[in-house]
Amino acid sequence: MNKIIIRFITIKVLNLPRNFKRVLAISLDSSLCLIATWLALSLRLEELVEIDTKYLVPASFSVGIAIPIFFSWGLYQTIFRYSSRQAIKILAKATAVYTIVYGTIFTIIGLEGIPRSIGLIQPMIIFFLVCISRWVVKILLEDSPYKRSLHDNLKKKSVIIYGAGYAGRQLASSVTHSDDFKVICFIDENKNFWGTTIDGYQVASPLEVGVLIKI
C-alpha cells in the first residue's frame, strides 16, 4: 500500500505544471531561509531561541534577499529535481552574493539586538540546507523507478547544440532532463574542441551537420 501511495504522489508531482513546481521551489527555499536564521541564532546564543519579534527581522531580510538573488542566478529556471554539480556551483556563487548583501547588513552595519556573527553563520547554513534539499528531492524523484518507468517509453527528438561553451553546456543540461528531447552532440567552430567530449557529448565540426542530421 505504501509503495502504491508513493508511486501515486511521485507521478502527480512530476506532472505538475512547471510554474507550480517553481512556486514550490521558491516556497521551500523561503522556509529554509527561516530555518537557517533560527539555527544560526541558536548556534550563536548556544541555546534554542524562542520565536521573538526582533528575530523575525533577520528572517524576513533573508527571504527578501535570497529569493531574488537565487532567481536572478537561474536556480528556478530548471526544476530543482534535476540538480547537478553545475547547479551546485551556481548555488555557491548565488550564495556568495547573498552572503555579501546579508553580511553587510547584519555584520558590517549591524542591527540592535541581533548578533553580528549571524551575517556570516546564516548564509553558510542556507547553502548547506538548500544543497541537502536538492539532493533529497533528486533522490526521491529523479532516481525513482516510478519516474523512469513513466518516461522510458516516450520518444524523444534528437537535438544538436551549436556552441560547446558555457551557454551550450547549460542548455544541454536542461535538454538532457527534458521529456521531449535528447542531446546528440555539440557542434562548435573552435577546432580545438573537435573530437573532444564535453559533459559526455562529442563535439563535432559545423561541416558535419549534414551527416549528423541523418543519424
Side-chain angles (χ1 to χ4, degrees), residues 14 18 21 77-88 134 137-139 141-143 147 151 156 173-179:
L14 290 173
R18 182 173 295 274
K21 292 176 184 176
Q77 299 305 311
T78 301
I79 301 307
F80 61 87
R81 64 190 171 92
Y82 298 132
S83 297
S84 61
R85 292 181 180 178
Q86 186 62 34
I88 298 301
R134 299 312 195 253
V137 176
K138 178 183 175 67
I139 294 298
L141 296 182
E142 185 182 47
D143 297 334
K147 189 265 182 180
H151 298 301
K156 297 184 178 183
S173 178
S174 298
V175 173
T176 297
H177 299 102
S178 167
D179 296 331

Side-chain angles (χ1 to χ4, degrees), residues 1 6 17 75 132-133 186:
M1 180 61 71
I6 294 175
L75 291 177
I132 291 297
S133 71
F186 290 109

Side-chain angles (χ1 to χ4, degrees), residues 21-176:
K21 292 176 184 176
R22 186 171 291 120
V23 170
L24 286 179
I26 293 174
S27 299
L28 173 61
D29 286 350
S30 297
S31 299
L32 293 178
C33 286
L34 302 179
I35 295 173
T37 303
W38 176 74
L39 287 175
L41 288 167
S42 297
L43 288 172
R44 171 61 180 80
L45 300 176
E46 298 183 352
E47 62 178 2
L48 295 178
V49 300
E50 297 182 0
I51 302 301
D52 190 283
T53 304
K54 68 178 180 180
Y55 293 148
L56 293 179
V57 174
S60 300
F61 266 92
S62 178
V63 175
I65 296 171
I67 301 306
I69 290 177
F70 288 176
F71 196 91
S72 66
W73 277 84
L75 291 177
Y76 304 122
Q77 299 305 311
T78 301
I79 301 307
F80 61 87
R81 64 190 171 92
Y82 298 132
S83 297
S84 61
R85 292 181 180 178
Q86 186 62 34
I88 298 301
K89 291 180 181 179
I90 295 175
L91 174 60
K93 294 177 181 179
T95 304
V97 176
Y98 169 81
T99 302
I100 293 174
V101 179
Y102 195 79
T104 298
I105 296 173
F106 292 97
T107 300
I108 298 178
I109 299 176
L111 295 180
E112 185 178 355
I114 306 299
R116 289 179 179 270
S117 57
I118 294 303
L120 298 177
I121 299 175
Q122 199 258 13
M124 291 190 290
I125 296 177
I126 281 185
F127 177 73
F128 176 77
L129 292 179
V130 174
C131 284
I132 291 297
S133 71
R134 299 312 195 253
W135 179 77
V136 170
V137 176
K138 178 183 175 67
I139 294 298
L140 292 178
L141 296 182
E142 185 182 47
D143 297 334
S144 167
Y146 309 128
K147 189 265 182 180
R148 292 196 296 271
S149 64
L150 183 65
H151 298 301
D152 276 348
N153 295 322
L154 290 178
K155 185 177 181 180
K156 297 184 178 183
K157 296 180 180 179
S158 298
V159 172
I160 298 174
I161 295 179
Y162 186 88
Y166 176 77
R169 296 196 301 273
Q170 285 289 93
L171 178 59
S173 178
S174 298
V175 173
T176 297

Side-chain angles (χ1 to χ4, degrees), residues 7-26:
R7 180 175 183 177
F8 176 79
I9 294 176
T10 301
I11 293 176
K12 286 295 182 182
V13 171
L14 290 173
N15 289 327
L16 287 173
R18 182 173 295 274
N19 287 336
F20 190 76
K21 292 176 184 176
R22 186 171 291 120
V23 170
L24 286 179
I26 293 174

